[in-house]
Amino acid sequence: MRNGLPATALRAPGAVAQPARAAEPSPLLQVDGVSLEYRTPERVVRATHRVGFDVHAAERFVLLGPSGCGKSTLLKAVAGFIAPVEGEIRLDGHRVTAPGPDRIVVFQEFDQLPPWKTVHQNVMFPLLASRTLGKREAAERALHYLDKVGLARFADVHPHQLSGGMKQRVAIARALAMQPRVLLMDEPFAALDALTRRKMQEELLALWDEVRFTLLFVTHSIEEALVVGSRIALLSPHPGRMRAEINSHEFGLHSTGGAAFQATAQRIHGLLFEHEGAVAS
Ligand SMILES: Nc1ncnc2c1ncn2[C@@H]1O[C@H](COP(=O)(O)OP(=O)(O)O)[C@@H](O)[C@H]1O
Ligand SMILES: [Mg+2]
């Protein structure tokens, strides 16, 4: 509703409210004019301003922007932890109002695994807590996904015995085991060394090839966005606004040294920072 009018009153004459045509599957996830704020008694911080994008099933959609532009806040809103002050987020056409097992987040931090549980128990835990599966089925499914990330042999060890990259693999297995509608990843490889990071990107893409999950991936790295994403939303510096959408389907780990990759990276760099001086006015 705007100006007290029902939404339909704002449509062009003759337009009829009806579902999208069958030939165009409607997006799985719709972020529609979303503004997000942090409110304290002293002040209001606007994190994003009217951000909008659609994510289709089995896409690898990347949110790219400089630190502080609201990427994590957006991901938290999609996860259902924060409510928009303006706009709406829809999953399968239904408004997101709370967290749910259909949206699982993998964070950057290595301490997202409870240290007193084994790797296997860590992966089983959300399946049991959400009553998605019984104990035996949960144990089987957890092993299945641990195997997919190459860690079946480490099922009975505790997280402190694992490297950072291995912990992130466990977090990914735990998220995928829930078979979420959308997998949300917030700079999951940012704290890893460069070689491990590259290896993890490779493994994530191989996993996607096999499982075809829908991914919403946050990064501040232009190169990572081009490698991981099939489509990229560029966000401007604080507060985040949509600056552009880039099709990055053609790029992968094999293309990082190529001329087309470098040209696109340059273009994105320009788009992200060209207005920086002008914004202050
Ligand atoms: N808990 C919070 N309280 C107040 N402001 C916050 C909080 N978390 C983040 N912010 C502010 O919101 C903006 C967006 O933050 P964030 O979503 O973390 O950005 P990004 O993930 O892109 O680095 C920043 O200006 C940040 O300082
Ligand atoms: Mg962040």
Side-chain angles (χ1 to χ4, degrees):
M1 297 243 293
R2 202 187 299 161
N3 303 329
L5 294 171
T8 46
L10 298 171
R11 285 176 209 280
V16 182
Q18 61 184 13
R21 278 168 292 154
E24 290 170 36
S26 56
L28 177 63
L29 175 71
Q30 293 166 291
V31 173
D32 186 3
V34 166
S35 300
L36 296 163
E37 288 176 354
Y38 292 98
R39 287 170 183 272
T40 62
E42 299 81 45
R43 62 196 191 119
V44 176
V45 177
R46 178 155 284 219
T48 71
H49 186 75
R50 294 184 185 165
V51 169
F53 56 86
D54 289 340
V55 181
H56 291 266
E59 255 194 311
R60 300 187 311 277
F61 196 92
V62 173
L63 290 174
L64 171 64
S67 191
C69 77
K71 303 180 296 298
S72 294
T73 308
L74 260 171
L75 218 62
K76 285 179 201 155
V78 171
F81 299 127
I82 299 175
V85 294
E86 186 178 26
E88 192 171 277
I89 298 171
R90 291 181 294 273
L91 186 68
D92 289 323
H94 301 290
R95 188 169 160 182
V96 166
T97 55
D102 50 6
R103 285 150 291 139
I104 306 287
V105 195
V106 173
F107 295 97
Q108 175 181 336
E109 295 76 20
F110 298 151
D111 62 3
Q112 59 192 301
L113 308 171
W116 59 89
K117 290 182 192 293
T118 65
V119 164
H120 196 192
Q121 287 164 347
N122 260 287
V123 178
M124 282 169 69
F125 178 69
L127 291 164
L128 296 174
S130 64
R131 299 175 191 277
T132 301
L133 295 178
K135 198 154 185 202
R136 229 189 65 193
E137 292 82 5
E140 273 172 23
R141 192 186 291 177
L143 262 189
H144 175 77
Y145 282 93
L146 277 172
D147 187 49
K148 286 217 180 303
V149 298
L151 288 182
R153 281 186 302 129
F154 294 86
D156 295 324
V157 311
H158 285 84
H160 74 271
Q161 293 167 276
L162 304 178
S163 68
M166 290 161 90
K167 285 180 191 167
Q168 290 309 77
R169 284 191 192 95
V170 176
I172 292 168
R174 182 175 64 175
L176 284 178
M178 288 295 289
Q179 302 181 340
R181 301 285 285 150
V182 191
L183 175 62
L184 309 170
M185 300 184 96
D186 191 357
E187 312 223 24
F189 310 143
L192 297 167
D193 65 89
L195 287 179
T196 308
R197 182 177 192 165
R198 203 181 160 84
K199 182 99 179 72
M200 293 296 293
Q201 292 166 351
E202 196 178 326
E203 288 181 13
L204 181 68
L205 290 172
L207 259 178
W208 180 86
D209 250 341
E210 202 185 331
V211 183
R212 297 284 159 145
F213 47 87
T214 307
L215 179 64
L216 180 57
F217 186 101
V218 161
T219 182
H220 65 262
S221 156
I222 295 174
E223 178 171 295
E224 182 165 74
L226 285 170
V227 166
V228 169
S230 54
R231 213 145 52 87
I232 302 170
L234 293 186
L235 295 173
S236 66
H238 177 78
R241 298 163 194 258
M242 288 294 291
R243 177 137 289 168
E245 256 187 49
I246 308 272
N247 194 333
S248 52
H249 203 264
E250 65 191 284
F251 301 118
L253 277 163
H254 57 276
S255 51
T256 51
F261 185 97
Q262 292 303 333
T264 307
Q266 274 303 321
R267 195 174 124 230
I268 291 175
H269 193 274
L271 283 166
L272 284 175
F273 299 107
E274 66 186 350
H275 301 301
E276 216 169 36
V279 167
S281 61

